[in-house]
Amino acid sequence: MAAVSGLVRRPLQQMTVRDAINQGMDEELERDEKVFLLGEEVAQYDGAYKVSRGLWKKYGDKRIIDTPISEMGFAGIAVGAAMAGLRPICEFMTFNFSMQAIDQVINSAAKTYYMSGGLQPVPIVFRGPNGASAGVAAQHSQCFAAWYGHCPGLKVVSPWNSEDAKGLIKSAIRDNNPVVVLENELMYGVPFEFPAEAQSKDFLVPIGKAKVERQGTHITVVSHSRPVGHCLEAATVLSKEGIECEVINMRTIRPMDIDTIEASVMKTNHLITVEGGWPQFGVGAEICARIMEGPAFNFLDAPAVRVTGADVPMPYAKILEDNSVPQVKDIIFAIKKTLNI
Amino acid sequence: MRKMLAAVSRVLAGAAQKPASRVLVASRNFANDATFEIKKCDLHRLEEGPPVTTVLTREDGLKYYRMMQTVRRMELKADQLYKQKIIRGFCHLCDGQEACCVGLEAGINPTDHLITAYRAHGFTFTRGLSVREILAELTGRRGGCAKGKGGSMHMYAKNFYGGNGIVGAQGQIFEAYNMAALWKLPCIFICENNRYGMGTSVERAAASTDYYKRGDFIPGLRVDGMDILCVREATRFAAAYCRSGKGPILMELQTYRYHGHSMSDPGVSYRTREEIQEVRSKSDPIMLLKDRMVNSNLASVEELKEIDVEVRKEIEDAAQFATADPEPPLEELGYHIYSSDPPFEVRGANQWIKFKSVS
C-alpha cells in the first residue's frame, strides 16, 4: 500500500505505524517510570511484529518483560499491577489471544472502578494487532472492536495512520482507565507523512474524538482502522465522477464521537459505515442506531448502509478471504446505492 | 533362476513396498527383524516404564522410514512454496520432529483420537491424509482437506481434531489434568518439548522444565523424542496404561525443530546455528533409523535411497497438484457455517452481496 499523502504541503517526516507506536511507548516509558510493557516476545525478540524493537535494550528487564505463553495469567498479573499503582502496557500478540484472558480485561479491569464505588482505578493499556491480516485464517483474523466496544468501563481506540498510532497510545498510557488499543498488523509497515506537531513528546490524540480526514458534501463515510484508507481510495475514485465523500476516521470506538458523525450527516444527508468486523452487532450497527436516536435522523435522505466483513469465519483461500473483507469496490457500490446512482 | 529370485525379493520386500520398486534385492537376504536397545525413560510416579529393548521388523522399519521421510520432504516443500508466496499466512513446520508423529501413530490405533496445536502437518499425514490433500490445503485450493478454507493450522481428519491456532492456556492444561485424573479418563497428554516456545527458551518460560512431572498426581514419562523406537515403545506403554483403566498419563517427548517457530521466524536470533547443526548431525531421527536398519541388515542403503526417490516424486506430484488445483469457488464462501441445517443466506461485505450457506 503506497504512502497516503496529507492535505498539507509542508516538508514532512515519513513514519511507519510501527515506528510511531514504538516512539509513543518509548516516550511514555521515559516520562514515567511506573510505565512498563509485558507480553510474549516483547523483550528479547524485539516484539513478534517488532513493535517494541529496541525497548528492552534501552529499558531492561524491569520495564520490558517477556512472559510465558499464558494470556489469562499475565493479563491478570498486569491488572493487579495497575491496581497497585503501576501503569502496565499489556500486549496481546494478537487480540484473538485476548479471548483467553477476556475475563481479566472485562471483569478485573473494566468493571472495577465502578464496582468499587470509585475507589479503585485500573490504569492499564491492552494493546496488539486486531482484525484480519493476510491468510491467517479463522482463528487469527477476528475483529474485537464490537466485543470490547460493548463494555462500559473500557475505553477502546482504533488508530489508522501513524499520527493516530502515536497520539492514541500516548493518550491511552496517560489515561487512568483501562484502554484497549486495537492496532492492525497490515498497517504496521505502512509509512505516512508525520506532521511536525506529532514529533513532539507531548503530542496526544484525544480519546473520544473522531477526525474528518476528508471533507465532502454528498455523503458521510465513517470508518476505523485500515478501512479508513480504503474509504479515502473510494473517495478519490468517486471524486472523478463528481461525488464528494466526507470521510470520518473514528479513531475511538468507545466512547464514540457521535457528535462529529451527526454534524456530518446533517450536512451530507447520507451515511455509510465501513468496518472489517462482522455485521451483526457491529460498530456500524451501533452508529446507525445512534443516528436514529439523534437529530441527524431527520436529515437522512436514504437509509444508512453498513459495509462490513462477510458474516463467515475467515476462510483461508485467497479468493474467499478477499471476498470476506470490505474492498474499495464494495464501498463504492454502497455509496452509489445510497445516493441512488 | 532370475524369475525365482525376483519373486523371492518381492516377498521379502513386503507389502509396504510399492510394486513399482525397481530395486532388485535378489542377491541379498535381509533379516526379518532386529532387536534394539532404547533409552530408558525418566519416570514420574511410575514403578516401571516402557521396555529398554524393542524388536523392529523390516516391514515396520521400512514403513516408518518412508513415513518420516515423507513428512520431512513435505515440510521442506512447504518451506519452498511459502517462500514462493504460494502458501500464505502462518506456516509452522515440524522437520526434526518426525519421530514424534510417526512414533506416536505406531503406538496407537487408527480408532484412537488425537488433537494437537498448530504444528500439525506431520500429524495430519500420520493420521491418514495424503500429502496431496495437505499441500493443497496449504495452498488454499479446493482439493485441500478442508476445501481450502482452513489453511495450515486447521486440518482435520477422522479421529483427528486438528490443527488448532490458539495455544498458551497454561491454566487450562492444569484444569484438564485435574478432570482427567478425577474421572480416570483414558487420555495421554503429550508435550513435544522442542526447547523453545516461539522465541523463548523453556528456561525463560517455565519455573520447572520437567514437563513430564507437571501433571503432579498424574504419572509421566520423559522420552527421547528423536528416536522413533523410543517414542513407539513409550506410546505403547502409555496407551496400555490408559486402556487398563488407570486414568491419564503424561508423555514428554524431547525433540527439536530445525525451522524457526514459523516461516516468519528465522529461528536463529534465540538459538545458535551450531546448536541446530549439532542436533542435525547427531540426533536426526531419520538418520538414526536409517543407521540402525542398515547396520542390522534390515535394509540396504540403496533400498532406502530408492524410497527417498519415491518419496521425492510423491511430494513433487503433490506439489504440482497443490499449485495447479483451482481455488475453491466463490459461491461456496458461505458453506459449512452450521451443520445439519437447512440452507440460509449469508451476508457479504454489504447488504446487496449475498452468499448461500449449505450445511
Side-chain angles (χ1 to χ4, degrees):
Chain A
M1 188 169 147
V4 178
S5 70
L7 296 170
V8 185
R9 265 177 235 127
R10 265 190 261 152
L12 298 164
Q13 188 195 345
Q14 288 260 319
M15 172 86 81
T16 61
V17 171
R18 170 187 290 116
D19 290 345
I21 301 169
N22 185 284
Q23 193 178 87
M25 288 198 290
D26 192 354
E27 287 172 5
E28 295 306 300
L29 283 158
E30 197 175 84
R31 177 180 176 270
D32 184 349
E33 59 180 11
K34 295 199 291 302
V35 176
F36 71 100
L37 171 68
L38 86 169
E40 294 155 13
E41 311 295 351
V42 296
Q44 295 186 23
Y45 197 81
D46 270 340
Y49 298 101
K50 307 299 177 211
V51 178
S52 55
R53 176 167 41 208
L55 296 180
W56 175 67
K57 205 163 172 197
K58 185 170 175 184
Y59 295 101
D61 286 334
K62 273 195 127 53
R63 309 286 298 286
I64 313 292
I65 302 172
D66 274 338
T67 63
I69 306 174
S70 319
E71 276 76 8
M72 179 70 102
F74 69 71
I77 285 175
V79 172
M83 289 180 177
L86 293 177
R87 304 190 75 89
I89 306 167
C90 176
E91 177 181 297
F92 291 121
M93 198 183 283
T94 77
F95 267 96
N96 302 284
F97 311 145
S98 76
M99 274 205 288
Q100 294 282 319
I102 202 163
D103 177 74
Q104 296 290 0
V105 179
I106 306 303
N107 281 326
S108 300
K111 298 177 184 172
T112 295
Y113 194 65
Y114 181 91
M115 293 190 294
S116 65
L119 280 181
Q120 178 65 70
V122 186
I124 188 168
V125 172
F126 296 102
R127 53 159 289 275
N130 174 61
S133 178
V136 294
Q139 291 179 341
H140 289 78
S141 306
Q142 192 169 331
C143 175
F144 287 84
W147 282 41
Y148 289 120
H150 192 57
C151 301
L154 269 189
K155 294 192 182 179
V156 182
V157 300
S158 181
W160 165 55
N161 62 10
S162 307
E163 201 183 314
D164 292 352
K166 181 178 171 182
L168 286 172
I169 191 72
K170 286 168 74 75
S171 294
I173 293 168
R174 295 191 194 189
D175 200 307
N176 286 332
N177 295 289
V179 183
V180 168
V181 181
L182 303 172
E183 299 161 10
N184 186 293
E185 198 245 309
L186 295 173
M187 296 304 292
Y188 281 152
V190 179
F192 288 91
E193 279 164 2
F194 208 56
E197 57 266 18
Q199 292 162 41
S200 150
K201 287 190 178 175
D202 282 310
F203 171 69
L204 299 171
V205 165
I207 296 178
K209 198 87 187 67
K211 182 179 179 202
V212 179
E213 295 286 348
R214 182 189 195 281
Q215 303 242 0
T217 46
H218 296 122
I219 184 166
T220 301
V221 181
V222 184
S223 185
H224 73 96
S225 189
R226 185 162 179 262
V228 172
H230 298 324
C231 293
L232 289 168
E233 276 182 59
T236 304
V237 169
L238 289 167
S239 184
K240 300 195 181 84
E241 297 176 42
I243 302 168
E244 295 304 328
C245 301
E246 180 144 292
V247 177
I248 299 178
N249 171 8
M250 290 176 72
R251 286 180 157 180
T252 299
I253 306 293
R254 184 177 190 115
M256 193 186 289
D257 179 5
I258 198 67
D259 291 345
T260 299
I261 302 172
E262 275 176 340
S264 176
V265 171
M266 284 157 77
K267 183 176 78 170
T268 68
N269 312 121
H270 297 86
L271 171 64
I272 76 158
T273 68
V274 184
E275 68 198 285
W278 293 316
Q280 208 161 314
F281 309 103
V283 174
E286 175 65 16
I287 293 171
C288 291
R290 292 227 207 162
I291 289 293
M292 286 213 283
E293 292 168 358
F297 172 72
N298 289 309
F299 288 76
L300 281 175
D301 287 346
V305 158
R306 300 171 292 160
V307 178
T308 67
D311 200 19
V312 294
M314 185 66 74
Y316 168 66
K318 188 163 199 317
I319 187 178
L320 300 184
E321 185 182 54
D322 287 347
N323 283 276
S324 299
V325 296
Q327 301 181 48
V328 176
K329 67 167 173 63
D330 302 316
I331 300 170
I332 292 174
F333 186 86
I335 290 172
K336 287 187 166 177
K337 271 281 200 178
T338 310
L339 291 172
N340 207 18
I341 294 169
Chain B
M1 179 66 172
R2 197 173 273 277
K3 266 196 186 158
M4 186 179 86
L5 284 169
V8 167
S9 89
R10 271 198 297 278
V11 167
L12 282 175
Q17 288 286 31
K18 282 187 162 185
S21 171
R22 288 179 290 116
V23 173
L24 268 181
V25 292
S27 57
R28 227 168 122 168
N29 284 323
F30 289 108
N32 267 328
D33 55 55
T35 304
F36 296 103
E37 280 179 15
I38 52 179
K39 202 160 145 202
K40 187 177 189 305
C41 294
D42 295 318
L43 304 177
H44 170 70
R45 287 189 187 264
L46 285 166
E47 293 296 309
E48 351 162 283
V52 293
T53 61
T54 183
V55 174
L56 175 66
T57 66
R58 181 176 137 79
E59 185 179 336
D60 281 346
L62 290 170
K63 182 172 82 176
Y64 302 155
Y65 181 84
R66 181 184 290 271
M67 284 176 83
M68 288 203 288
Q69 194 66 281
T70 303
V71 174
R72 172 68 56 92
R73 300 243 70 96
M74 179 178 74
E75 295 293 76
L76 294 179
K77 177 57 72 176
D79 168 286
Q80 194 182 47
L81 292 171
Y82 192 91
K83 287 172 175 151
Q84 295 173 299
K85 298 195 197 294
I86 299 172
I87 295 177
R88 313 176 309 130
F90 293 135
C91 192
H92 308 84
L93 301 177
C94 70
D95 50 310
Q97 299 183 198
E98 294 85 356
C100 294
C101 54
V102 179
L104 237 46
E105 192 63 38
I108 60 175
N109 304 326
T111 48
D112 293 324
H113 306 260
L114 196 150
I115 187 170
T116 188
Y118 45 71
R119 204 173 302 283
H121 307 159
F123 287 106
T124 313
F125 174 72
T126 54
R127 282 266 91 187
L129 291 193
S130 67
V131 180
R132 260 165 83 97
E133 296 173 275
I134 295 171
L135 287 184
E137 186 57 38
L138 290 176
T139 57
R141 308 301 165 98
R142 62 183 70 185
C145 53
K147 303 180 171 67
K149 294 171 99 171
S152 168
M153 300 176 288
H154 310 298
M155 298 187 189
Y156 301 82
K158 187 157 203 300
N159 298 328
F160 175 55
Y161 304 84
N164 290 279
I166 310 295
V167 300
Q170 270 189 37
Q172 281 178 28
I173 233 237
F174 292 106
E175 292 181 4
Y177 286 166
N178 183 47
M179 286 185 276
L182 196 58
W183 298 328
K184 285 203 159 32
L185 302 179
C187 183
I188 308 175
F189 292 95
I190 298 155
C191 172
E192 285 177 285
N193 180 0
N194 56 22
R195 309 195 205 169
Y196 301 94
M198 195 169 153
T200 304
S201 66
V202 293
E203 294 78 28
R204 289 209 302 130
S208 161
T209 55
D210 290 337
Y211 294 104
Y212 72 111
K213 292 184 184 171
R214 299 284 297 275
D216 187 9
F217 36 77
I218 298 181
L221 304 166
R222 183 159 55 189
V223 181
D224 179 358
M226 303 305 268
D227 176 358
I228 194 202
L229 297 180
C230 202
V231 176
R232 182 184 74 173
E233 285 315 306
T235 306
R236 281 177 175 166
F237 176 89
Y241 180 93
C242 288
R243 290 190 222 280
S244 69
K246 298 199 187 87
I249 189 169
L250 246 80
M251 275 207 311
E252 177 189 337
L253 307 179
Q254 293 186 300
T255 185
Y256 199 82
R257 52 162 165 81
Y258 295 144
H259 269 83
H261 162 75
S262 71
M263 287 301 296
S264 6
D265 170 28
V268 287
S269 63
Y270 49 87
R271 54 183 192 172
T272 62
R273 287 182 209 274
E274 289 75 44
E275 179 186 284
I276 305 169
Q277 222 353 79
E278 170 144 11
V279 176
R280 236 191 239 283
S281 56
K282 297 209 177 111
S283 318
D284 184 279
I286 299 175
M287 177 192 78
L288 290 179
L289 178 64
K290 176 174 163 188
D291 288 348
R292 271 187 167 143
M293 288 185 67
V294 166
N295 294 340
S296 353
N297 197 32
L298 285 176
S300 69
V301 171
E302 295 75 34
E303 189 178 16
L304 297 180
K305 273 208 171 72
E306 187 64 25
I307 294 179
D308 292 349
V309 167
E310 285 168 9
V311 167
R312 264 203 170 83
K313 179 158 194 326
E314 185 189 344
I315 306 299
E316 268 316 310
D317 288 348
Q320 262 284 57
F321 171 72
T323 346
D325 201 37
E327 288 192 285
L330 186 54
E331 305 80 67
E332 292 183 16
L333 187 148
Y335 281 23
H336 309 119
I337 293 179
Y338 294 126
S339 160
S340 327
D341 257 21
F344 63 99
E345 223 165 50
V346 170
R347 191 186 153 115
N350 60 44
Q351 69 214 56
W352 300 281
I353 300 173
K354 295 186 187 359
F355 296 98
K356 190 160 174 212
S357 186
V358 169
S359 274

